[in-house]
Amino acid sequence: MQLDISVQLDLVLPEPTDFLLQIEAAPLPEQQLISAHIDLSPSLHFARVPGQDEIGDRIWLRAEGHFAIGYRSRMAITRHLADIASLPALPPHQLPGETVQYLMDSRYCPADSFQSFVSAEFGALQGGERIVAMRDWIAANFAYTPGSSHSATTALESFVERRGVCRDYAHVLIALARASAIPARYASVYAPRVMPQDFHAVAEVFLADPHGPGGAWHLVDPTGMAEAGEMAKIGIGRDAADVSFLSSYGPLELSLKTIAVTIA
C-alpha cells in the first residue's frame, strides 16, 4: 500500500524563538520512502537531530515572524501484520534492554495506578489476548470527544472521565499494558481514515515476534480509526511528550494546520 501525505503549518513567532519540529514520516524497514520534500521559511537556525530510539528525525529551528512549513511525501507500507491476540508476552527477564523504559511510569502514563484494575478486569488473560481485550474495553467504554482534554491530561484523568481523543486513548492503553508488564510506547502516525484528519496517536506494544525468535513491536489503535497496515510512523516515545509534532521554547502561535493522508 502507498500513502500520499501532505501537511501545511503556519506559525507566528513575535520574537526569536526556538522550536522542535517532528512531522516527517520515518524511513523504516516496514515503510519505505518513495519521495519526500519539506519546505521551510528562512530561519535563524536549522539542524536535524535523531528522534527517540533513532526512529525518524526532529528538526531544531529558530525563527521570528511568520513561518510556513510545507511537507509532502509518498510512503510504501509493507508492514508484516500479526494476529495480536495469538501472540504471547515475553517474561520481563527476557525483554531486551531497550524495551525496559517502556514498562515504567511516564509523564502521561502512571501505569502503577492501574495495576489493581488490570488484575481485576483482565487477570484471566495473557499477552496479546489481554492487549486486544484492553483495546476493546477502551473502545466500548470511552467516548471520542474533541476538546474534552488538553495538553496536560493524563491517562488516569482520561480513565476517570471515560472520554478523550486519540492521544488520550493511546495513553490509557499504554498505561494498561505497562501495568500488565508488557512494554508499550506512544506512536505518532499518519493514517488515511482518521476523522477529522490530523496527526494521529496510537499505542505500540512489545510481544513475541511471529516471524522469528524474540519480540517485536505491534501497532494497536484503540480508537479503531486506523489499521496497522495503513499507518506511516512519524516517531515514537514514552508518551506524547516525547513525540509532539511541535515543541516551542518561547512564544509561538499556530495559525494554520492542514493535514491530508490518502491512499495513492
Side-chain angles (χ1 to χ4, degrees):
M1 167 176 288
Q2 293 186 4
L3 297 180
D4 284 334
I5 300 163
S6 175
V7 179
Q8 182 67 47
L9 306 175
D10 284 356
L11 315 178
V12 178
L13 306 104
E15 62 186 53
T17 299
D18 296 337
F19 58 99
L20 194 60
L21 186 69
Q22 189 168 11
I23 65 169
E24 297 169 295
L28 296 167
E30 72 271 20
Q31 54 183 56
Q32 296 83 44
L33 196 63
I34 298 173
S35 63
H37 184 72
I38 189 164
D39 284 315
L40 303 171
S41 294
S43 62
L44 302 170
H45 178 81
F46 172 97
R48 287 186 176 274
V49 293
Q52 177 93 354
D53 289 357
E54 305 292 323
I55 293 178
D57 277 354
R58 298 173 173 131
I59 301 175
W60 269 122
L61 291 156
R62 183 172 176 83
E64 183 179 13
H66 175 259
F67 193 87
I69 300 162
Y71 169 67
R72 291 182 180 274
S73 68
R74 174 167 287 189
M75 303 292 297
I77 311 301
T78 57
R79 185 171 292 114
H80 293 298
L81 304 179
D83 176 11
I84 291 177
S86 69
L87 301 178
L90 274 66
H93 70 276
Q94 292 182 8
L95 290 169
E98 63 270 19
T99 68
V100 172
Q101 64 176 316
Y102 301 113
L103 284 173
M104 300 176 182
D105 281 8
S106 60
R107 178 176 176 181
Y108 295 116
C109 300
D112 288 352
S113 300
F114 289 89
Q115 288 183 351
S116 295
F117 171 76
V118 163
S119 178
E121 188 74 22
F122 307 107
L125 305 173
Q126 301 294 325
E129 189 179 15
R130 179 180 286 202
I131 293 293
V132 169
M134 293 189 296
R135 178 201 67 192
D136 293 346
W137 183 90
I138 295 169
N141 289 278
F142 277 55
Y144 193 91
T145 312
S148 63
S149 61
H150 50 79
S151 61
T153 301
T154 68
L156 190 56
E157 292 166 322
S158 299
F159 179 81
V160 171
E161 293 288 335
R162 297 287 204 271
R163 60 180 182 170
V165 293
C166 61
R167 173 187 186 275
D168 309 302
Y169 279 56
H171 282 157
V172 173
L173 182 55
I174 290 165
L176 295 177
R178 292 177 185 172
S180 304
I182 297 172
R185 64 191 188 187
Y186 183 101
S188 176
V189 305
Y190 291 113
R193 305 184 199 280
V194 172
M195 290 296 170
Q197 191 68 73
D198 205 340
F199 300 106
H200 192 49
V202 300
E204 210 172 17
V205 297
F206 194 82
L207 296 166
D209 186 350
H211 303 288
W217 290 102
H218 304 272
L219 292 162
V220 184
D221 183 8
T223 74
M225 287 193 285
E227 298 292 336
E230 298 181 353
M231 298 184 204
K233 281 197 284 189
I234 303 167
I236 56 89
R238 293 165 297 177
D239 53 35
D242 287 341
V243 69
S244 172
F245 76 93
L246 182 65
S247 300
S248 175
Y249 297 88
L252 180 152
E253 176 190 347
L254 178 62
S255 59
L256 174 69
K257 179 178 69 171
T258 61
I259 298 166
V261 183
T262 57
I263 297 173

